[in-house]
Amino acid sequence: MRAVQVGHTVVGFDTDPDKVKRLVAGESYVDDVPSDVLKKALESGRYQPSAQPRSCAGFEMAVITVPTPLHEGAPDISCIEQSAAMLARYLRPGACVVLESTTYPGTTEELVAPLLEEGSGLVAGTDFLVGYSPERIDPGNQKWDLVRTPKVVSGINEASLRAVRGFYDTLLDRTVPVSGPGVAELTKLLENTFRHVNIALVNELAMFAADMGIDVREAIDAASTKPFGFMPFNPGPGVGGHCLPIDPSYLSWRVKRRLGHNFRFVELANDVNDHMPDYVVRRLIAGLNRRRLAVNGCRIMILGLAYKRNTSDARESPAMVVADRLLALGADIVAADPHVSDSVYLPISRVEATAEEAASSNAVVLLVDHDAFDLPALARAAPYFFDTRHRVSGPSVEQL
Ligand SMILES: NC(=O)c1ccc[n+]([C@@H]2O[C@H](COP(=O)([O-])OP(=O)(O)OC[C@H]3O[C@@H](n4cnc5c(N)ncnc54)[C@H](O)[C@@H]3O)[C@@H](O)[C@H]2O)c1
């Protein structure tokens, strides 16, 4: 959308024809892109969503932003391979291809550039240009949007870097050039691993602090007054989405493959963060037990199914794990999430987040603190309110 706004002619190619159909109809499925913005882009005549590879013919700049999931614990880069092979067919001298998908260091130079060469018969760096520039989108973040967030850019040689940087300079306020794609790829994984590890640190501390009867949030707030050398992270019910549960594993996989070493920080962080949904369930069981209730047969209301507040994205969401575990224990689960569509699979009833629903539950567990929830009212109404986000207080409230 931004490329259209600044005057480029853009083809949005996606292999999913349903998504393309919705885009053509002016219906945005991305939280941060209002349909009005999409419609404006369509009306400009400079934006064409398409599921046809041939719509990419004649491109000067191609940006690859395809998914990079894990498959049985190993990076699945098949979408990048498919994209590079497809673009190679339409590659012309002078054109530039830039990869944005999060991936292990080496992908751009060792995989993407050779695939483009193979399919086109052209030479990377001479006939055409290649680079890597990591995505830094933070869904729902109003302040740090695409334009204002500095973007790291790289190329496989000087000419490639110039092309990649020149393109992004037309879209956003500040580009940050680095010496090559390997550094840019590692930068992205460093950013996500940093968050992952620090969240694991406070999650583990939260579990110890609860056993010691100490409020971990108060300690985090106090530590945050240190003006140097500390950055606050908050404990929660686990990590979700694409970045935190998956990306650091790309780095640990690469380290293991290349160097034969384990990336112990990532493994430990995975272990702690993956355990958090089970810990939430354990605390709920203990809380109900204190009220002489067994989980089996209890009505438990889950607030929030998304992985992140104010978004509809439920990928890798810890809320799903919590719901699954409670269901397996025989609980009667209802869930409220105004953002996540009912079609997201879970064998549970969906309800509105009302005080009446909270009052008729044995326990309410806050997993995602969407702005749409009236948390004080829900906490007042619930006989037992387990707050994993440190948002409310009261006689029936227990904090993670
Ligand atoms: N979503 C974010 O906030 C975010 C932030 C930073 C980095 N990233 C990274 O960006 C990449 C994409 O993430 P996403 O969340 O946008 O994924 P997504 O699954 O939401 O969207 C990717 C799109 O690519 C399409 N696709 C799959 N294979 C294709 C192919 N061969 N050719 C063309 N289209 C194809 C899919 O149909 C889908 O519409 C990942 O590597 C992710 O780690 C995402």
Side-chain angles (χ1 to χ4, degrees), residues 214-236:
I214 296 172
D215 182 348
V216 71
R217 309 279 184 150
E218 196 182 340
I220 293 169
D221 287 346
S224 302
T225 60
K226 188 180 177 188
F228 47 84
F230 185 80
M231 185 183 280
F233 287 84
N234 291 316

Side-chain angles (χ1 to χ4, degrees), residues 26-368:
E27 184 197 326
S28 173
Y29 54 81
V30 178
D31 287 344
D32 289 338
V33 178
S35 289
D36 285 352
V37 172
L38 173 63
K39 283 183 190 135
K40 233 187 208 154
L42 290 163
E43 281 160 21
S44 76
R46 282 183 286 101
Y47 175 57
Q48 183 203 347
S50 173
Q52 301 298 330
R54 65 173 175 278
S55 63
C56 298
F59 74 86
E60 289 168 283
M61 172 64 68
V63 181
I64 303 177
T65 63
V66 293
T68 42
L70 287 173
H71 186 65
E72 290 176 359
D76 175 359
I77 45 162
S78 55
C79 291
I80 296 181
E81 290 172 322
Q82 286 157 19
S83 307
M86 185 278 285
L87 289 170
R89 304 209 309 260
Y90 302 102
L91 194 56
R92 294 188 314 186
C96 180
V97 176
V98 51
L99 178 63
E100 283 205 11
S101 301
T102 306
T103 182
Y104 58 80
T107 308
T108 306
E109 281 174 295
E110 295 165 24
L111 181 88
V112 173
L115 280 171
L116 291 168
E117 287 184 326
E118 200 181 296
S120 66
L122 300 173
V123 180
T126 318
D127 299 332
F128 67 94
L129 309 160
V130 185
Y132 181 81
S133 177
E135 241 194 289
R136 268 181 176 164
I137 300 289
D138 183 18
N141 193 330
Q142 303 288 323
K143 183 175 176 208
W144 294 108
D145 59 9
L146 177 82
V147 176
R148 270 175 253 175
T149 307
K151 195 153 174 40
V152 173
V153 290
S154 70
I156 59 165
N157 59 359
E158 267 307 309
S160 295
L161 175 60
R162 250 196 322 276
V164 173
R165 191 177 191 190
F167 171 66
Y168 286 110
D169 276 338
T170 68
L171 305 187
L172 37 96
D173 291 346
R174 185 173 160 227
T175 48
V176 182
V178 294
S179 61
V183 174
E185 289 158 338
L186 185 61
T187 301
K188 174 68 188 176
L189 294 179
L190 170 62
E191 290 168 13
N192 286 356
T193 305
F194 175 83
R195 270 181 63 70
H196 189 53
V197 165
N198 279 289
I199 290 170
L201 172 69
V202 290
N203 277 341
E204 190 162 40
L205 266 182
M207 292 188 272
F208 292 150
D211 287 342
M212 292 189 283
I214 296 172
D215 182 348
V216 71
R217 309 279 184 150
E218 196 182 340
I220 293 169
D221 287 346
S224 302
T225 60
K226 188 180 177 188
F228 47 84
F230 185 80
M231 185 183 280
F233 287 84
N234 291 316
V239 295
H242 192 289
C243 296
L244 295 188
I246 294 178
D247 298 352
S249 300
Y250 268 70
L251 192 49
S252 55
W253 178 88
R254 185 58 161 174
V255 169
K256 179 89 186 160
R257 256 299 163 90
R258 247 307 155 83
L259 310 172
H261 295 307
N262 293 332
F263 196 158
R264 289 167 295 169
F265 267 103
V266 171
E267 287 170 8
L268 187 59
N270 281 341
D271 194 38
V272 173
N273 288 334
D274 288 351
H275 174 68
M276 289 313 287
D278 282 319
Y279 177 71
V280 168
V281 171
R282 204 182 90 202
R283 290 280 300 271
L284 273 170
I285 292 171
L288 289 168
N289 188 51
R290 280 195 297 279
R291 290 165 176 81
R292 299 178 179 278
L293 291 169
V295 155
N296 195 345
C298 267
R299 184 183 202 260
I300 300 177
M301 180 179 183
I302 289 178
L303 291 176
L305 291 172
Y307 87 87
K308 193 168 191 240
R309 65 196 300 261
N310 299 335
T311 73
S312 61
D313 196 343
R315 290 182 293 181
E316 314 285 329
S317 171
M320 302 293 183
V321 184
V322 171
D324 265 349
R325 299 279 195 274
L326 291 171
L327 278 172
L329 290 168
D332 170 19
I333 304 290
V334 295
D337 193 313
H339 297 283
V340 173
S341 108
D342 290 355
S343 60
V344 170
Y345 169 76
L346 253 194
I348 51 174
S349 324
R350 298 288 287 270
V351 292
E352 298 283 316
T354 60
E356 292 71 37
E357 291 288 350
S360 59
S361 301
N362 299 104
V364 175
V365 54
L366 172 64
L367 298 177
V368 193

